[in-house]
Amino acid sequence: MVLFLIYFFYSRKFNIKMILEKLLFILLSLVFIYITLQSQKITYSADFTPHYPFYYRLFFATYSTLFYIFSAIIPVHLSAFHPFPVTEAQSLPVYYYLSPLIIILLLWLIFRFFKSDKVMLTGILFF
C-alpha cells in the first residue's frame, strides 16, 4: 500500500503498467503474510478463526485500529497482549459495534479537511 501512496504523493498516473511493476512486491508480501499466519497457527497465537464469526472479526479489526490510534495519542492501559473480549455465547460491547462507523467518520473527516494538502494527507494515510 505504501508503494501506491508514494505514487499518489508524486502525482504519478495509476495504470495497469504501474500495477504490473509492483506485482512482484505484492506477491512477495502475500507470501510473507502466509508464512506469518502459518507460524502463528503453530503457536496458537492466531487461533481465533474457528471461535468467532466473520462479522465479529471485522469489529475486532476496526476496534483494534481505533485502539491503536487512541494509544498513540494517549498511552494508557498498554499491554503486550489484549485478549478478545467475549466467548461465543456473549455479544460484543457497544463500542465494538460503533468502531466501523467511527473509522468511516474519521476517514471522511481526513479526506474532507486534507484533500487539498497532499503532504498532510499522505502523512496521515502512511500512519
Side-chain angles (χ1 to χ4, degrees):
M1 295 307 298
V2 174
L3 293 172
F4 296 112
L5 188 60
I6 291 169
Y7 268 67
F8 166 75
F9 181 70
Y10 287 113
S11 300
R12 295 188 61 187
K13 288 183 69 169
F14 285 91
N15 55 29
I16 193 74
K17 182 181 177 225
M18 185 268 305
I19 294 173
L20 290 175
E21 288 175 357
K22 307 297 180 247
L23 190 60
L24 180 63
F25 295 109
I26 293 169
L27 291 174
L28 190 62
S29 68
L30 291 174
V31 167
F32 280 105
I33 288 171
Y34 178 77
I35 290 169
T36 301
L37 291 176
Q38 291 305 313
S39 66
Q40 288 183 356
K41 194 181 292 184
I42 291 170
T43 62
Y44 302 106
S45 298
D47 189 30
F48 63 88
T49 306
H51 304 294
Y52 295 102
F54 180 73
Y55 63 93
Y56 270 21
R57 289 182 273 161
L58 290 174
F59 292 126
F60 290 151
T62 55
Y63 175 76
S64 298
T65 303
L66 283 178
F67 183 79
Y68 177 74
I69 293 168
F70 179 77
S71 296
I73 297 169
I74 304 172
V76 293
H77 303 297
L78 301 178
S79 175
F81 179 71
H82 296 279
F84 292 110
V86 296
T87 62
E88 290 178 18
Q90 298 172 336
S91 67
L92 292 172
V94 174
Y95 50 86
Y96 278 85
Y97 294 114
L98 293 176
S99 61
L101 300 173
I102 296 170
I103 291 283
I104 291 169
L105 177 67
L106 283 174
L107 287 172
W108 180 78
L109 287 171
I110 287 168
F111 283 107
R112 178 169 164 81
F113 291 113
F114 297 116
K115 67 181 174 186
S116 61
D117 188 0
K118 190 180 273 192
V119 174
M120 187 65 109
L121 184 60
T122 304
I124 290 172
L125 291 176
F126 185 83
F127 173 73

